[in-house]
Coordinates of all heavy atoms in Angstrom, one line a residue:
R1 N -22.8 4.7 -75.6 CA -23.4 6.0 -75.8 C -23.3 6.7 -74.5 O -24.1 6.4 -73.6 CB -24.8 5.8 -76.3 CG -24.9 5.1 -77.7 CD -26.3 4.7 -77.9 NE -27.3 5.8 -77.8 CZ -27.6 6.7 -78.9 NH1 -27.0 6.5 -80.0 NH2 -28.3 7.8 -78.7
A2 N -22.6 7.8 -74.4 CA -22.4 8.5 -73.3 C -22.9 9.9 -73.5 O -22.8 10.6 -74.5 CB -20.9 8.7 -73.0
A3 N -23.7 10.5 -72.4 CA -24.0 11.9 -72.3 C -23.1 12.5 -71.2 O -22.7 12.0 -70.3 CB -25.5 11.9 -71.9
V4 N -22.7 13.7 -71.6 CA -21.8 14.4 -70.8 C -22.4 15.9 -70.4 O -22.8 16.6 -71.3 CB -20.5 14.7 -71.5 CG1 -19.5 15.3 -70.6 CG2 -19.9 13.3 -71.9
I5 N -22.3 16.1 -69.1 CA -22.5 17.4 -68.7 C -21.3 18.1 -68.0 O -20.6 17.4 -67.1 CB -23.7 17.7 -67.7 CG1 -25.0 17.2 -68.5 CG2 -23.8 19.0 -67.0 CD1 -26.3 17.3 -67.7
Y6 N -20.9 19.2 -68.4 CA -19.5 19.8 -68.0 C -19.6 21.1 -67.6 O -20.5 22.0 -67.9 CB -18.4 19.6 -69.1 CG -18.7 20.4 -70.3 CD1 -18.1 21.6 -70.5 CD2 -19.6 20.0 -71.3 CE1 -18.4 22.4 -71.6 CE2 -19.9 20.7 -72.5 CZ -19.3 22.0 -72.5 OH -19.5 22.7 -73.8
D7 N -18.8 21.6 -66.6 CA -18.7 22.9 -66.2 C -18.1 23.9 -67.5 O -17.3 23.5 -68.1 CB -17.7 23.1 -65.1 CG -18.3 22.7 -63.7 OD1 -19.5 22.3 -63.7 OD2 -17.7 22.9 -62.7
L8 N -18.8 25.0 -67.5 CA -18.3 26.1 -68.4 C -17.2 26.8 -67.7 O -17.3 27.9 -67.3 CB -19.5 27.0 -68.8 CG -20.4 26.3 -69.7 CD1 -21.7 27.3 -70.0 CD2 -19.9 26.1 -71.1
S9 N -16.0 26.1 -67.7 CA -14.8 26.7 -66.9 C -13.7 26.0 -67.6 O -13.8 25.1 -68.2 CB -14.9 26.3 -65.5 OG -14.7 24.9 -65.3
P10 N -12.4 26.5 -67.2 CA -11.3 26.0 -68.0 C -11.1 24.5 -67.4 O -10.8 23.6 -68.2 CB -10.1 26.8 -67.2 CG -10.7 28.1 -67.1 CD -12.1 27.8 -66.7
I11 N -11.5 24.2 -66.2 CA -11.4 22.7 -65.7 C -12.4 21.9 -66.4 O -12.0 20.9 -67.1 CB -11.9 22.7 -64.2 CG1 -10.7 23.3 -63.3 CG2 -12.2 21.4 -63.7 CD1 -11.1 23.3 -61.8
G12 N -13.7 22.3 -66.6 CA -14.6 21.4 -67.3 C -14.3 21.4 -68.8 O -14.5 20.2 -69.5
V13 N -13.9 22.4 -69.4 CA -13.6 22.4 -70.9 C -12.3 21.5 -71.2 O -12.3 20.7 -72.1 CB -13.4 23.8 -71.4 CG1 -12.8 23.7 -72.9 CG2 -14.6 24.6 -71.4
Q14 N -11.4 21.6 -70.3 CA -10.2 20.6 -70.6 C -10.6 19.3 -70.3 O -10.2 18.3 -71.1 CB -9.1 21.0 -69.5 CG -7.7 20.5 -69.8 CD -7.0 21.0 -71.0 OE1 -7.6 21.8 -71.7 NE2 -5.8 20.6 -71.1
H15 N -11.4 18.9 -69.3 CA -11.8 17.5 -69.1 C -12.5 17.0 -70.3 O -12.3 15.8 -70.8 CB -12.8 17.5 -67.9 CG -12.0 17.2 -66.6 ND1 -11.2 16.2 -66.3 CD2 -12.1 17.9 -65.3 CE1 -10.8 16.1 -65.2 NE2 -11.3 17.2 -64.5
L16 N -13.5 17.8 -70.9 CA -14.3 17.4 -72.0 C -13.4 17.1 -73.2 O -13.6 16.0 -73.9 CB -15.2 18.5 -72.3 CG -16.1 18.2 -73.5 CD1 -17.0 17.1 -73.3 CD2 -17.0 19.4 -73.9
K17 N -12.4 18.0 -73.4 CA -11.5 17.7 -74.6 C -10.9 16.3 -74.6 O -10.8 15.6 -75.6 CB -10.5 18.7 -74.7 CG -9.4 18.6 -75.8 CD -8.3 19.6 -75.7 CE -7.4 19.2 -76.9 NZ -6.7 17.9 -77.0
Y18 N -10.2 16.0 -73.3 CA -9.6 14.8 -73.3 C -10.4 13.6 -73.2 O -10.1 12.4 -73.7 CB -8.6 14.7 -72.1 CG -7.3 15.5 -72.3 CD1 -7.3 16.8 -72.3 CD2 -6.2 14.8 -72.7 CE1 -6.1 17.6 -72.5 CE2 -5.1 15.5 -73.1 CZ -4.9 16.8 -73.0 OH -3.8 17.6 -73.3
F19 N -11.7 13.8 -72.7 CA -12.7 12.7 -72.7 C -13.1 12.4 -74.1 O -13.2 11.2 -74.4 CB -13.9 13.0 -71.8 CG -14.8 12.0 -71.7 CD1 -14.7 11.0 -70.6 CD2 -16.0 11.8 -72.6 CE1 -15.6 9.9 -70.5 CE2 -16.9 10.9 -72.4 CZ -16.8 9.9 -71.5
E20 N -13.3 13.4 -74.8 CA -13.7 13.2 -76.3 C -12.7 12.5 -77.0 O -12.9 11.6 -77.9 CB -14.0 14.6 -76.9 CG -15.3 15.3 -76.4 CD -15.5 16.6 -77.1 OE1 -14.4 17.3 -77.4 OE2 -16.6 17.1 -77.1
D21 N -11.3 12.9 -76.8 CA -10.4 12.3 -77.6 C -10.3 10.8 -77.2 O -10.1 9.9 -78.2 CB -9.0 12.9 -77.2 CG -8.8 14.3 -77.7 OD1 -9.7 14.7 -78.5 OD2 -7.9 15.0 -77.3
E22 N -10.4 10.4 -75.8 CA -10.3 9.0 -75.5 C -11.5 8.2 -76.0 O -11.4 7.1 -76.3 CB -10.0 8.9 -74.0 CG -9.8 7.4 -73.5 CD -8.3 7.0 -74.1 OE1 -7.6 7.8 -74.5 OE2 -8.2 5.7 -73.9
A23 N -12.6 8.9 -75.9 CA -13.8 8.2 -76.4 C -13.8 7.9 -77.9 O -14.3 6.8 -78.3 CB -15.1 9.1 -76.1
R24 N -13.3 8.7 -78.7 CA -13.2 8.5 -80.0 C -12.2 7.2 -80.3 O -12.6 6.3 -81.2 CB -12.5 9.7 -80.7 CG -12.5 9.6 -82.2 CD -12.0 10.9 -82.9 NE -12.7 12.2 -82.4 CZ -12.2 13.1 -81.5 NH1 -11.0 12.9 -81.1 NH2 -13.0 14.2 -81.1
I25 N -11.2 7.1 -79.5 CA -10.3 5.9 -79.6 C -11.0 4.6 -79.2 O -10.9 3.6 -79.9 CB -9.0 6.1 -78.8 CG1 -8.2 7.2 -79.5 CG2 -8.2 4.8 -78.8 CD1 -7.0 7.7 -78.6
L26 N -11.9 4.7 -78.3 CA -12.6 3.5 -77.7 C -13.9 3.2 -78.5 O -14.6 2.3 -78.0 CB -12.9 3.8 -76.2 CG -11.7 3.9 -75.3 CD1 -12.0 4.4 -73.9 CD2 -10.8 2.6 -75.4
A27 N -14.3 4.0 -79.4 CA -15.6 3.9 -80.1 C -16.7 4.1 -79.2 O -17.8 3.4 -79.2 CB -15.6 2.5 -80.8
L28 N -16.6 5.1 -78.2 CA -17.6 5.4 -77.3 C -18.3 6.6 -77.8 O -17.5 7.7 -77.8 CB -17.0 5.6 -75.8 CG -18.0 6.1 -74.8 CD1 -19.0 5.1 -74.5 CD2 -17.1 6.5 -73.4
D29 N -19.4 6.5 -78.2 CA -20.1 7.6 -78.8 C -20.6 8.7 -77.8 O -21.4 8.3 -77.0 CB -21.3 7.0 -79.7 CG -21.9 8.2 -80.7 OD1 -21.3 9.3 -80.8 OD2 -23.1 8.0 -81.0
I30 N -20.3 10.0 -78.0 CA -20.8 11.0 -77.0 C -22.0 11.5 -77.7 O -21.8 12.3 -78.8 CB -19.7 12.0 -76.9 CG1 -18.5 11.4 -76.2 CG2 -20.4 13.2 -76.0 CD1 -17.4 12.5 -75.9
V31 N -23.2 11.1 -77.4 CA -24.4 11.4 -78.0 C -24.9 12.8 -77.7 O -25.6 13.3 -78.5 CB -25.5 10.3 -77.7 CG1 -25.1 8.9 -78.2 CG2 -25.8 10.3 -76.2
H32 N -24.5 13.5 -76.6 CA -24.9 14.7 -76.2 C -23.9 15.2 -75.2 O -23.5 14.5 -74.3 CB -26.2 14.7 -75.6 CG -26.7 16.1 -75.1 ND1 -27.1 17.0 -76.1 CD2 -26.9 16.7 -73.9 CE1 -27.5 18.1 -75.4 NE2 -27.4 17.9 -74.2
S33 N -23.5 16.5 -75.3 CA -22.6 17.3 -74.3 C -23.2 18.6 -74.1 O -23.7 19.3 -75.1 CB -21.2 17.3 -74.7 OG -21.0 18.0 -75.9
A34 N -23.4 19.0 -72.9 CA -23.9 20.3 -72.6 C -23.1 21.0 -71.4 O -22.7 20.3 -70.5 CB -25.4 20.2 -72.2
G35 N -22.8 22.2 -71.5 CA -22.1 23.0 -70.4 C -23.1 23.7 -69.4 O -24.2 24.1 -69.8
I36 N -22.8 23.7 -68.2 CA -23.4 24.5 -67.2 C -22.5 25.3 -66.4 O -21.4 25.2 -66.4 CB -24.1 23.5 -66.2 CG1 -23.2 22.6 -65.5 CG2 -25.3 22.7 -66.9 CD1 -23.9 21.7 -64.4
Q37 N -23.2 26.3 -65.7 CA -22.3 27.2 -64.9 C -21.8 26.5 -63.7 O -22.3 25.7 -63.1 CB -23.2 28.4 -64.4 CG -23.6 29.3 -65.5 CD -22.6 30.0 -66.4 OE1 -21.4 30.4 -65.7 NE2 -22.5 29.8 -67.6
P38 N -20.4 26.8 -63.4 CA -19.9 26.0 -62.3 C -20.4 26.1 -60.9 O -20.3 25.1 -60.2 CB -18.4 26.7 -62.2 CG -18.2 27.3 -63.5 CD -19.5 27.7 -64.0
L39 N -21.3 27.1 -60.7 CA -22.0 27.2 -59.5 C -23.6 26.9 -59.6 O -24.4 27.2 -58.8 CB -21.9 28.5 -58.8 CG -20.3 28.9 -58.5 CD1 -20.3 30.3 -57.9 CD2 -19.7 27.9 -57.7
A40 N -24.0 26.2 -60.7 CA -25.3 25.9 -61.0 C -26.0 25.3 -59.8 O -25.4 24.1 -59.3 CB -25.5 25.2 -62.4
E41 N -27.2 25.5 -59.5 CA -28.0 24.7 -58.4 C -29.1 24.1 -59.1 O -29.9 23.3 -58.4 CB -28.5 25.8 -57.5 CG -27.4 26.5 -56.7 CD -27.9 27.4 -55.6 OE1 -29.0 27.7 -55.4 OE2 -27.0 28.0 -54.9
D42 N -29.5 24.1 -60.4 CA -30.5 23.5 -61.1 C -29.9 23.0 -62.4 O -29.6 23.8 -63.2 CB -31.7 24.3 -61.1 CG -32.9 23.6 -61.8 OD1 -32.7 22.5 -62.3 OD2 -33.9 24.3 -61.9
A43 N -30.1 21.7 -62.7 CA -29.5 21.1 -64.0 C -30.6 20.3 -64.6 O -30.5 19.4 -65.4 CB -28.3 20.4 -63.8
A44 N -31.9 20.4 -64.1 CA -33.1 19.6 -64.6 C -33.2 19.7 -66.2 O -33.3 18.6 -66.8 CB -34.4 20.0 -64.0
D45 N -33.1 20.8 -66.7 CA -33.4 21.0 -68.1 C -32.2 20.2 -68.9 O -32.4 19.6 -70.0 CB -33.4 22.4 -68.6 CG -34.7 23.1 -68.2 OD1 -35.7 22.4 -67.8 OD2 -34.8 24.4 -68.2
E46 N -31.0 20.4 -68.4 CA -29.8 19.9 -69.1 C -29.8 18.4 -69.0 O -29.6 17.7 -70.0 CB -28.5 20.4 -68.5 CG -28.2 22.0 -68.7 CD -29.0 22.8 -67.8 OE1 -29.6 22.3 -66.9 OE2 -28.7 24.1 -68.0
V47 N -30.2 17.8 -67.9 CA -30.3 16.4 -67.7 C -31.4 15.8 -68.5 O -31.2 14.8 -69.2 CB -30.5 16.0 -66.2 CG1 -30.8 14.5 -66.0 CG2 -29.2 16.4 -65.5
R48 N -32.5 16.4 -68.5 CA -33.7 16.0 -69.4 C -33.3 16.0 -70.9 O -33.5 14.9 -71.6 CB -34.8 17.0 -69.2 CG -36.2 16.4 -69.9 CD -37.2 17.5 -69.7 NE -37.5 17.7 -68.2 CZ -37.2 18.8 -67.7 NH1 -36.7 19.9 -68.4 NH2 -37.4 19.1 -66.3

């Protein structure tokens, strides 16, 4: 069971797509994913 936080940017979104595709093959469940701003200085809410 994996939780993912990713940048809301072309880099982060592309990473997420390929991570999701491979996780599906491996039966690795993505239980939560959330985007943050690429220059974010606080991610407490997203991590919680």
Side-chain angles (χ1 to χ4, degrees):
R1 299 166 54 83
V4 181
I5 292 183
Y6 65 97
D7 280 1
L8 292 170
S9 69
I11 289 175
V13 171
Q14 189 77 350
H15 271 301
L16 178 63
K17 176 189 182 302
Y18 279 82
F19 186 86
E20 288 174 335
D21 289 346
E22 188 67 15
R24 190 175 302 112
I25 293 169
L26 298 170
L28 174 62
D29 187 18
I30 299 176
V31 295
H32 179 75
S33 64
I36 58 173
Q37 293 301 317
L39 301 180
E41 296 181 355
D42 184 355
D45 289 343
E46 290 83 358
V47 169
R48 187 181 306 111

